[in-house]
Amino acid sequence: KSPEQEEKMKQLRIAGYSNQALCHLKLQDGMNALKACESTLSLDPKNIKALFRRGQAAEISEDWEDAIEYFKEVLEVDSKNTLAGNRIKFCRNKLNSYKASQKKRYANMFERTNFKDPVATKDTNKLKPDFSDDDEEEEAGIRTRMKRRNPPRWKFKGVLLQY
């Protein structure tokens, strides 16, 4: 194969990968678009379309930091590319809003999980019965009086049984 044919084949592969990346972008498939852009850039590292589409693929994947880096590479190759500059601003705004939402979500995370030891407090409820052992005799007397007042009764086949 002649050098002209090799160059023409390379240009056709670049165009094919670039168009493939565009198709994946239209389908909102960021990962495959990124792969197609990387294939294009392996053949031509300064391809503006592939560099820009790689940034768009990162945007679709909501990978804002990578998208900013990819658009910066576009500006390194073509400093007059205003669209790349606008996309950098857009991605920075998205990244800042994402960080703010995460900060708000996790701000009180450790304050809500309070692992302090509970403080002992004296119970001031006077209505609770005292179950201490020092009044056993008195409790026994209460039990026997209650039994006498309300003895349990059962009916068994019409016969009243008393406990």
CSV table of all heavy atoms in Angstrom, one decimal, residues 64 68 86-99:
chain,number,residue,atom,x,y,z
A,64,TRP,N,-18.2,15.6,36.0
A,64,TRP,CA,-18.0,17.1,35.7
A,64,TRP,C,-16.5,17.4,35.7
A,64,TRP,O,-16.1,18.2,34.9
A,64,TRP,CB,-18.8,17.9,36.7
A,64,TRP,CG,-20.2,17.6,36.8
A,64,TRP,CD1,-20.9,17.0,37.8
A,64,TRP,CD2,-21.2,17.7,35.7
A,64,TRP,NE1,-22.2,16.8,37.5
A,64,TRP,CE2,-22.4,17.2,36.2
A,64,TRP,CE3,-21.1,18.1,34.4
A,64,TRP,CZ2,-23.6,17.2,35.4
A,64,TRP,CZ3,-22.3,18.1,33.6
A,64,TRP,CH2,-23.5,17.6,34.1
A,68,ILE,N,-14.4,19.0,32.5
A,68,ILE,CA,-13.7,20.3,32.6
A,68,ILE,C,-12.3,20.1,32.0
A,68,ILE,O,-11.8,20.9,31.2
A,68,ILE,CB,-13.7,20.8,34.0
A,68,ILE,CG1,-15.1,21.3,34.4
A,68,ILE,CG2,-12.6,22.0,34.1
A,68,ILE,CD1,-15.2,21.6,35.9
A,86,ASN,N,-17.5,28.0,27.2
A,86,ASN,CA,-18.8,28.0,27.7
A,86,ASN,C,-19.1,26.6,28.4
A,86,ASN,O,-19.8,26.6,29.5
A,86,ASN,CB,-19.9,28.2,26.7
A,86,ASN,CG,-19.8,29.7,26.1
A,86,ASN,OD1,-19.2,30.5,26.8
A,86,ASN,ND2,-20.3,29.9,24.9
A,87,ARG,N,-18.7,25.5,27.9
A,87,ARG,CA,-19.0,24.3,28.5
A,87,ARG,C,-18.2,24.1,29.8
A,87,ARG,O,-18.7,23.5,30.7
A,87,ARG,CB,-18.6,23.1,27.5
A,87,ARG,CG,-19.4,23.0,26.2
A,87,ARG,CD,-20.9,23.2,26.4
A,87,ARG,NE,-21.5,22.3,27.2
A,87,ARG,CZ,-22.8,22.4,27.6
A,87,ARG,NH1,-23.5,23.4,27.3
A,87,ARG,NH2,-23.3,21.5,28.4
A,88,ILE,N,-17.0,24.7,29.9
A,88,ILE,CA,-16.2,24.6,31.1
A,88,ILE,C,-17.0,25.4,32.2
A,88,ILE,O,-17.1,24.9,33.3
A,88,ILE,CB,-14.8,25.3,30.9
A,88,ILE,CG1,-14.0,24.3,30.1
A,88,ILE,CG2,-14.2,25.5,32.3
A,88,ILE,CD1,-12.6,24.9,29.7
A,89,LYS,N,-17.6,26.6,31.9
A,89,LYS,CA,-18.3,27.3,32.9
A,89,LYS,C,-19.6,26.5,33.3
A,89,LYS,O,-19.9,26.5,34.5
A,89,LYS,CB,-18.8,28.6,32.3
A,89,LYS,CG,-17.7,29.6,32.1
A,89,LYS,CD,-18.1,30.9,31.4
A,89,LYS,CE,-17.0,31.8,31.1
A,89,LYS,NZ,-17.4,33.0,30.3
A,90,PHE,N,-20.2,25.9,32.3
A,90,PHE,CA,-21.4,25.1,32.7
A,90,PHE,C,-21.1,23.9,33.6
A,90,PHE,O,-21.7,23.7,34.6
A,90,PHE,CB,-22.0,24.6,31.3
A,90,PHE,CG,-23.2,23.7,31.6
A,90,PHE,CD1,-24.5,24.2,31.9
A,90,PHE,CD2,-23.0,22.3,31.5
A,90,PHE,CE1,-25.5,23.3,32.1
A,90,PHE,CE2,-24.1,21.4,31.7
A,90,PHE,CZ,-25.4,21.9,32.0
A,91,CYS,N,-20.0,23.2,33.3
A,91,CYS,CA,-19.5,22.1,34.1
A,91,CYS,C,-19.1,22.5,35.5
A,91,CYS,O,-19.4,21.8,36.5
A,91,CYS,CB,-18.4,21.3,33.4
A,91,CYS,SG,-19.0,20.5,31.9
A,92,ARG,N,-18.5,23.7,35.6
A,92,ARG,CA,-18.1,24.2,36.9
A,92,ARG,C,-19.3,24.5,37.7
A,92,ARG,O,-19.3,24.2,38.9
A,92,ARG,CB,-17.2,25.4,36.8
A,92,ARG,CG,-15.8,25.1,36.4
A,92,ARG,CD,-14.9,26.3,36.5
A,92,ARG,NE,-13.5,26.0,36.1
A,92,ARG,CZ,-12.7,26.7,35.5
A,92,ARG,NH1,-13.1,28.0,35.1
A,92,ARG,NH2,-11.5,26.3,35.2
A,93,ASN,N,-20.3,25.1,37.1
A,93,ASN,CA,-21.6,25.4,37.8
A,93,ASN,C,-22.2,24.1,38.3
A,93,ASN,O,-22.7,24.0,39.5
A,93,ASN,CB,-22.6,26.2,37.0
A,93,ASN,CG,-22.1,27.6,36.8
A,93,ASN,OD1,-21.4,28.1,37.6
A,93,ASN,ND2,-22.6,28.2,35.7
A,94,LYS,N,-22.3,23.1,37.4
A,94,LYS,CA,-22.9,21.8,37.8
A,94,LYS,C,-22.1,21.1,38.9
A,94,LYS,O,-22.6,20.6,39.9
A,94,LYS,CB,-22.9,20.8,36.6
A,94,LYS,CG,-24.0,21.2,35.6
A,94,LYS,CD,-25.3,20.9,36.2
A,94,LYS,CE,-26.4,20.9,35.2
A,94,LYS,NZ,-27.7,20.5,35.7
A,95,LEU,N,-20.7,21.2,38.8
A,95,LEU,CA,-19.9,20.6,39.9
A,95,LEU,C,-20.1,21.3,41.2
A,95,LEU,O,-20.2,20.6,42.3
A,95,LEU,CB,-18.4,20.7,39.4
A,95,LEU,CG,-17.4,20.1,40.4
A,95,LEU,CD1,-17.6,18.6,40.6
A,95,LEU,CD2,-16.0,20.3,39.9
A,96,ASN,N,-20.2,22.6,41.2
A,96,ASN,CA,-20.4,23.4,42.4
A,96,ASN,C,-21.7,23.1,43.1
A,96,ASN,O,-21.9,22.9,44.3
A,96,ASN,CB,-20.2,24.9,42.2
A,96,ASN,CG,-18.8,25.3,41.9
A,96,ASN,OD1,-17.8,24.6,42.3
A,96,ASN,ND2,-18.6,26.4,41.2
A,97,SER,N,-22.8,23.0,42.2
A,97,SER,CA,-24.1,22.7,42.8
A,97,SER,C,-24.1,21.3,43.3
A,97,SER,O,-24.8,21.0,44.3
A,97,SER,CB,-25.2,22.9,41.7
A,97,SER,OG,-25.0,22.0,40.7
A,98,TYR,N,-23.4,20.3,42.7
A,98,TYR,CA,-23.4,19.0,43.2
A,98,TYR,C,-22.7,18.9,44.5
A,98,TYR,O,-23.1,18.3,45.4
A,98,TYR,CB,-22.6,18.1,42.1
A,98,TYR,CG,-22.4,16.7,42.7
A,98,TYR,CD1,-23.4,15.8,42.7
A,98,TYR,CD2,-21.1,16.3,43.1
A,98,TYR,CE1,-23.2,14.5,43.2
A,98,TYR,CE2,-20.9,15.0,43.6
A,98,TYR,CZ,-22.0,14.1,43.6
A,98,TYR,OH,-21.8,12.8,44.1
A,99,LYS,N,-21.5,19.6,44.6
A,99,LYS,CA,-20.8,19.6,45.9
A,99,LYS,C,-21.6,20.3,47.0
A,99,LYS,O,-21.6,19.8,48.1
A,99,LYS,CB,-19.5,20.4,45.7
A,99,LYS,CG,-18.4,19.6,45.0
A,99,LYS,CD,-17.1,20.3,44.9
A,99,LYS,CE,-16.1,19.5,44.2
A,99,LYS,NZ,-14.8,20.3,44.0
